[in-house]
Amino acid sequence: MGTGNKRIQMPFGPQHPVLPEPVQLRLVLEDEIVKEVVPNLGYVHRGLENLVMKKDINQMIYVAERICGICSFQHGMALSLALESIAKTEVPKRADYLRVMWGELHRIHSHLLWLGLSVESMGFESLFMQCWKIREKIIDVMEATSGARVIISTSVPGGVRRDITDEQAQWGRKLVREVEQEVREIEKVFFNDYTVKARTVGIGVLTKDDAFNYAIAGPMLRASGIKQDCRQMGYAAYDELEWDIPVSNDGDCYARMIVRVMEIYESVKLVQQAFDKLENSEKGEINVKFKANVIAGEAFARVEQPRGECLYYVKTNGTKHMERMHVRTPTFANVPSLLKMLPGSELADVPVILLSIDPCISCCER
Amino acid sequence: MFEMTNVKDITVDELRPEVQKLFDAKYRFLIITCIDLGDQFEFLYQFDMDLVETTLRLKVAKVNDKATVPSISLICISALLIENEIQDLFGVVFADILIDYKNMLLKTDPDSAPYRVANLIVQNVKSEKSNEGGQA
């Protein structure tokens, strides 16, 4: 290194201490500065969309949930919404509140997981453990309400599979409030710490125009000044609940971190409102009968996952098998933005920038 | 809520001009979906404007079991990954992709095209036969 303008190629991954997931960045460096990058995926592609030929519609809900563990509920919900749209099925209101509750619990635990991993890449081992400790409470709520800790498999076409009791709603509300308080205690590190700022402010900048040109999604999009969130479409019960969309105009790694922290608070607000609605509404139906062999048609469902908008294109032909199911996960949309963010950055910043997109390779290798 | 409403049928020649028009009008690229219809491929190019999507539907006939489509990655750079993925899974050729992985994105055999319906049927028959053998 350090020999003038000599360029070297350096593989970053697919096995790397910072990112134990199978993705590779082929970096071209000039001294310590990244000049070019080519992201390389496909090491563990599973061909899950292909299973529509073998699995019926109800079985495909389980497959969809296994595209990604962290946002599994939203995958199942997105496919359910697409099928319900084709069959013109209206789900019971209580099911909508339950979908909001589980969806936002997933968002909180995903953001806490990411915040932990992100600060760990900067050397904050104890903060990483603190984030994951707080996350455990969310996982406990999911376990108590659904019977499973991560892949909860509660969304089905026509509604949800399980209901919750008033006691569970009260207990869950208390735990979520504790989570909010604990996040507020550690937020000052994310917001103000010298090292965090030194590693993130002005690093990996995407302007508003870049965000549009690279078609990025989710917190990354909002951290670049575009106030867009698929929940604004009002699926499930989002149109009746009060919440805000955190936005930043800085477009750097720091802005992405702040947006995710603020989104935790918004999700807490949504979960609390969902618990209120569930407690105060009449206990009744949580799903309606849904025939597996829905009529022929096509739909394009969009839901906001923790990492951004997830799109499900579904085409049915009146049999119990779908003709085509295509999923665009948020990470798949965000990976091309590395072509813009990494050139010009220092090698030491590559892990921080890569982690700032909250990469989920499981989502890409669907 | 999720019905596909704004759908416009286009030809191969119209693809790039239509995409350029949407891009210039600040439509955000979402995704390309490829569907194997047997004798032709159907491509759905989806764009978003204020959470309302617009779809361009393109049908391309197979010639000698192959099809070539112009890449839109020079207009929408974010299309490069999905175009490479479709190349690997369906055996479609996208002309002039910004970064052409040449079937090395998913590391598939260029002729295997695992998502083609014809190949799926062959795989299913094979797996059924192997199951029968196992039971015997």
Side-chain angles (χ1 to χ4, degrees):
Chain A
M1 302 295 269
T3 53
N5 292 327
K6 191 178 174 187
R7 290 191 171 196
I8 61 163
Q9 278 192 39
M10 184 179 155
F12 184 92
Q15 298 295 326
H16 192 278
V18 171
L19 187 74
E21 290 194 77
V23 58
Q24 186 191 52
L25 299 177
R26 292 180 193 166
L27 303 173
V28 176
L29 301 172
E30 207 173 272
D31 291 339
E32 291 284 313
I33 305 298
V34 178
K35 291 294 175 186
E36 292 171 30
V37 59
V38 177
N40 199 9
L41 299 163
Y43 289 96
V44 286
H45 197 274
R46 294 167 288 169
L48 294 179
E49 291 170 2
N50 216 351
L51 287 174
V52 292
M53 302 293 284
K54 295 180 180 176
K55 307 286 182 192
D56 69 33
I57 285 168
N58 289 324
Q59 291 170 322
M60 280 308 291
I61 297 286
Y62 291 100
V63 173
E65 284 167 341
R66 278 145 187 83
I67 287 176
C68 168
I70 303 304
C71 36
S72 64
F73 178 79
Q74 279 118 331
H75 275 290
M77 181 169 68
L79 182 52
S80 302
L81 287 168
L83 291 167
E84 287 158 8
S85 176
I86 294 171
K88 302 200 181 337
T89 304
E90 195 136 322
V91 305
K93 203 71 232 171
R94 195 168 173 82
D96 279 341
Y97 296 134
L98 287 162
R99 282 179 173 178
V100 169
M101 179 197 81
W102 281 311
E104 295 310 310
L105 287 172
H106 267 73
R107 192 178 318 281
I108 298 170
H109 98 77
S110 172
H111 281 355
L112 283 168
L113 182 142
W114 178 82
L115 285 168
L117 289 173
S118 175
V119 290
E120 190 203 21
S121 74
M122 301 171 207
F124 284 84
E125 286 286 336
S126 58
L127 189 56
F128 156 69
M129 285 186 259
Q130 189 70 17
C131 289
W132 281 40
K133 183 187 145 203
I134 300 170
R135 175 175 170 262
E136 278 299 304
K137 287 190 177 171
I138 299 296
I139 306 274
D140 288 343
V141 177
M142 290 206 288
E143 185 178 17
T145 53
S146 71
R149 290 174 67 78
V150 179
I151 300 181
I152 60 176
S153 294
T154 47
S155 187
V156 288
V160 291
R161 203 188 300 275
R162 290 177 70 129
D163 201 351
I164 63 167
T165 62
D166 286 349
E167 291 73 32
Q168 284 174 328
Q170 288 156 11
W171 175 77
R173 191 187 292 115
K174 179 174 155 284
L175 241 62
V176 171
R177 199 177 299 126
E178 285 173 18
V179 166
E180 184 186 7
Q181 285 164 357
E182 289 174 29
V183 174
R184 287 198 188 279
E185 280 172 25
I186 59 169
E187 74 168 26
K188 50 179 99 51
V189 185
F190 297 111
F191 287 2
N192 304 323
D193 185 83
Y194 173 80
T195 309
V196 170
K197 281 189 160 180
R199 295 300 310 273
T200 56
V201 173
I203 304 294
V205 176
L206 276 180
T207 63
K208 199 171 180 175
D209 283 343
D210 295 335
F212 167 77
N213 292 338
Y214 285 82
I216 58 174
M220 282 193 69
L221 185 70
R222 297 187 280 279
S224 292
I226 298 179
K227 192 172 185 173
Q228 183 165 313
D229 189 314
C230 280
R231 290 173 289 176
Q232 291 170 291
M233 295 170 81
Y235 64 87
Y238 286 109
D239 52 346
E240 332 175 350
L241 306 176
E242 284 179 21
W243 55 287
D244 199 7
I245 305 172
V247 180
S248 170
N249 292 317
D250 297 337
D252 56 7
C253 293
Y254 182 73
R256 283 166 218 141
M257 181 179 284
I258 300 306
V259 164
R260 288 189 177 103
V261 173
M262 300 308 288
E263 282 191 1
I264 291 177
Y265 301 141
E266 293 305 317
S267 292
V268 167
K269 263 164 62 179
L270 282 164
V271 174
Q272 302 284 30
Q273 290 175 70
F275 277 137
D276 289 345
K277 296 273 187 189
L278 288 165
E279 211 181 341
N280 298 326
S281 65
E282 264 187 44
K283 310 290 174 290
E285 280 191 331
I286 52 168
N287 56 45
V288 292
K289 197 169 168 55
F290 188 87
K291 274 192 161 184
N293 51 341
V294 293
I295 54 171
E298 56 184 349
F300 185 60
R302 303 168 70 180
V303 301
E304 190 72 24
Q305 289 186 343
R307 297 178 174 90
E309 62 184 325
C310 177
L311 318 174
Y312 265 72
Y313 169 77
V314 170
K315 187 175 185 184
T316 56
N317 53 12
T319 69
K320 64 177 183 175
H321 294 283
M322 284 180 271
E323 196 170 318
R324 178 87 168 100
M325 179 186 91
H326 186 223
V327 188
R328 203 255 7 221
T329 55
T331 300
F332 202 76
N334 288 337
V335 165
S337 66
L338 293 170
L339 298 176
K340 176 70 184 175
M341 290 192 288
L342 288 176
S345 65
E346 291 193 26
L347 178 60
D349 290 330
V350 172
V352 177
I353 295 171
L354 179 59
L355 279 177
S356 77
I357 73 168
D358 194 1
C360 175
I361 306 311
S362 176
C363 275
C364 290
E365 311 285 30
R366 64 213 180 279
Chain B
M1 179 184 288
F2 297 113
E3 297 87 5
M4 289 173 63
T5 47
N6 302 326
V7 183
K8 183 178 181 184
D9 290 319
I10 56 165
T11 62
V12 171
D13 293 338
E14 291 168 338
L15 175 62
R16 278 183 179 157
E18 285 290 335
V19 170
Q20 186 70 58
K21 212 189 298 176
L22 290 173
F23 189 78
D24 292 342
K26 292 288 174 194
Y27 279 78
R28 196 164 60 95
F29 171 75
L30 290 177
I31 193 63
I32 308 170
T33 300
C34 177
I35 307 158
D36 183 2
L37 299 177
D39 58 345
Q40 58 184 347
F41 287 110
E42 181 178 277
F43 298 91
L44 301 173
Y45 291 79
Q46 281 161 318
F47 295 83
D48 166 79
M49 167 74 90
D50 299 330
L51 293 173
V52 177
E53 62 266 7
T54 295
T55 305
L56 302 176
R57 191 189 298 270
L58 169 68
K59 289 186 177 174
V60 180
K62 293 179 188 171
V63 179
N64 296 328
D65 214 31
K66 294 192 185 323
T68 303
V69 184
S71 166
I72 62 162
S73 59
L74 289 172
I75 306 166
C76 304
I77 191 169
S78 50
L80 73 92
L81 274 186
I82 186 63
E83 287 184 340
N84 274 287
E85 192 181 79
I86 292 171
Q87 274 198 163
D88 287 9
L89 295 174
F90 287 90
V92 177
V93 175
F94 282 90
D96 308 321
I97 305 188
L98 192 66
I99 302 174
D100 191 347
Y101 287 74
K102 299 192 185 300
N103 290 93
M104 287 306 290
L105 182 69
L106 304 184
K107 289 89 181 164
T108 52
D109 176 352
D111 297 323
S112 67
Y115 274 27
R116 282 202 186 186
V117 173
N119 294 344
L120 286 172
I121 293 165
V122 171
Q123 284 169 20
N124 284 345
V125 171
K126 275 182 186 171
S127 65
E128 279 166 21
K129 279 185 179 172
S130 64
N131 286 342
E132 284 168 16
Q135 284 162 3

